[in-house]
Amino acid sequence: MTALQLTGGPVARRLRAETEANLTALRDRGVLPGLAVVVATDNEATLWYVRSIARAADKAGVRCTVVDLGAGAAADEIASTLARLSADEDVHGIILQTPLPPGVAGDELVAHISAAKDVDGANPLSLGRLTVGQQAFAPATARAVVEMLEHYEVPLAGRHVSVVGRSAVVGKPLLQLLLQRDATVTVCHSRSRPLERYTSEAEVVVAAVGRPGLLTGDHVRPGAVVVDVGTNVLENGDLVGDVEPLSTAEVASALTPVPGGVGTVTTALLVLHTTQAALELSEGLVPARSAGPGSSA
Ligand code: NAP
């Protein structure tokens, strides 16, 4: 069997059409949507990703500002930047890009992103709301996985999905999105041994780890659909996923490529979410104020 390539391009195009419709409504209201990406690293893969977000925003007509605080930024400085952006009426979407400087805890800082502007679902309030089925922005990567599966009409209800990785940005929110679609979900992590015991039973396998070649054809059952979220930059500069494509394509029925798969959809979603946030804020549906720790916004 040679797996079908499930590319992100057609999915991103459909999302861009939604963005266009939102932009038309925003233009009628005189609102120019703005996205701010806060960066505190010199990690090359991260900077590459941030540039791709900025390009996607620019192409769509969404103003994107990269706030580069440098790899030595202190937690206080990052927190005050997030609070300032949360209160800035010209900013409708805020992303705090990881990794952060050593010793800086991101899970506390993301609480400084206003929930109304939390277009990458990083504030714990967003994950909490998602978990109980309330309206919230899901982290774009988790939603991108579901958008890919739905676009390519991969059935989820009653199916077993094995998600490898349990981070707050991918594995955990993806669990919620899959449960909402009536999938039966196994979430694996570094202590799930042997990994193939949990992945080879599943009809859909999602790899979100950050280790090139972690999943091979031996990890998946014949005919499975495999979604590769991993983005790893090799020493030679190549971008690869977590899935070893050749052996996996021999066994799986479909596989998302890296690059050109989930990442393409993720950036399109960040731009879409920003226009949605701008619409909701301009309608006064949500308060624009900062949602620092202890706030209920
Ligand atoms: P992360 O926070 O480092 O989490 C990695 C997860 O993988 C953890 O849950 C970890 O388990 C698990 N893990 C590590 N080694 C494992 C092993 N040998 N077997 C099974 N599980 C293992 O990473 P992340 O932020 O979720 O990102 C994951 C990958 O997705 C990275 O490659 C990242 O670059 C990529 N990514 C892509 C996009 C996109 O748009 N395409 C967006 C975001 C991230 P423990 O919890 O036990 O440590």
Side-chain angles (χ1 to χ4, degrees):
M1 182 180 298
T2 296
L4 203 69
Q5 291 264 307
L6 307 183
T7 56
V11 190
R13 269 195 290 284
R14 185 176 51 71
L15 295 167
R16 280 199 286 270
E18 273 184 57
T19 299
E20 258 308 307
N22 286 349
L23 284 166
T24 304
L26 286 166
R27 262 194 297 273
D28 290 347
R29 291 175 201 181
V31 177
L32 174 64
L35 171 65
V37 187
V38 178
V39 182
T41 181
D42 50 16
N43 177 291
E44 202 36 59
T46 306
L47 297 177
W48 178 89
Y49 177 58
V50 170
R51 281 194 294 272
S52 69
I53 297 171
R55 256 197 318 273
D58 195 45
K59 221 166 136 187
V62 169
R63 189 172 19 83
C64 180
T65 311
V66 177
V67 184
D68 190 349
L69 299 177
D76 283 1
E77 190 187 355
I78 299 172
S80 62
T81 301
L82 294 174
R84 175 179 59 77
L85 293 168
S86 291
D88 185 337
E89 288 187 0
D90 291 331
V91 173
H92 306 91
I94 302 168
I95 299 169
L96 175 61
Q97 191 56 53
T98 56
L100 294 169
V104 173
D107 47 355
E108 303 214 341
L109 288 174
V110 286
H112 292 273
I113 300 175
S114 156
K117 302 182 179 184
D118 187 23
V119 291
D120 204 13
N123 186 322
L125 275 175
S126 301
L127 184 55
R129 286 180 176 166
L130 197 66
T131 302
V132 294
Q134 291 178 4
Q135 196 191 340
F137 288 114
T141 308
R143 183 175 165 194
V145 172
V146 170
E147 293 285 343
M148 291 282 275
L149 292 169
E150 290 186 336
H151 177 90
Y152 287 105
E153 298 180 349
V154 177
L156 292 172
R159 301 299 172 104
H160 179 191
V161 183
S162 181
V163 177
V164 188
R166 59 173 164 182
S167 72
V169 290
V170 194
K172 286 189 180 115
L174 183 55
L175 163 66
Q176 302 307 329
L177 295 174
L178 292 167
L179 286 175
Q180 284 169 14
R181 286 157 180 81
D182 297 323
T184 302
V185 189
T186 310
V187 181
C188 308
H189 44 81
S190 62
R191 305 288 287 272
S192 307
R193 304 265 169 78
L195 187 58
E196 57 272 27
R197 174 172 161 204
Y198 305 100
T199 54
S200 61
E201 292 279 311
E203 281 122 340
V204 178
V205 178
V206 182
V209 172
R211 278 198 183 199
L214 179 77
L215 264 86
T216 68
D218 292 338
H219 290 84
V220 299
R221 78 185 214 182
V225 174
V226 180
V227 180
D228 194 352
V229 177
T231 48
N232 309 292
V233 181
L234 301 181
E235 274 182 13
N236 65 5
D238 285 357
L239 184 71
V240 299
D242 291 342
V243 177
E244 198 289 298
L246 293 179
S247 64
T248 307
E250 288 299 310
V251 186
S253 63
L255 171 64
T256 67
V258 179
V262 175
T264 315
V265 180
T266 301
T267 47
L269 276 169
L270 288 170
V271 179
L272 175 63
H273 284 181
T274 303
T275 61
Q276 281 172 354
L279 274 177
E280 287 167 10
L281 286 162
S282 71
E283 283 164 6
L285 292 178
V286 282
R289 67 194 161 88
S290 162
S295 161
S296 60

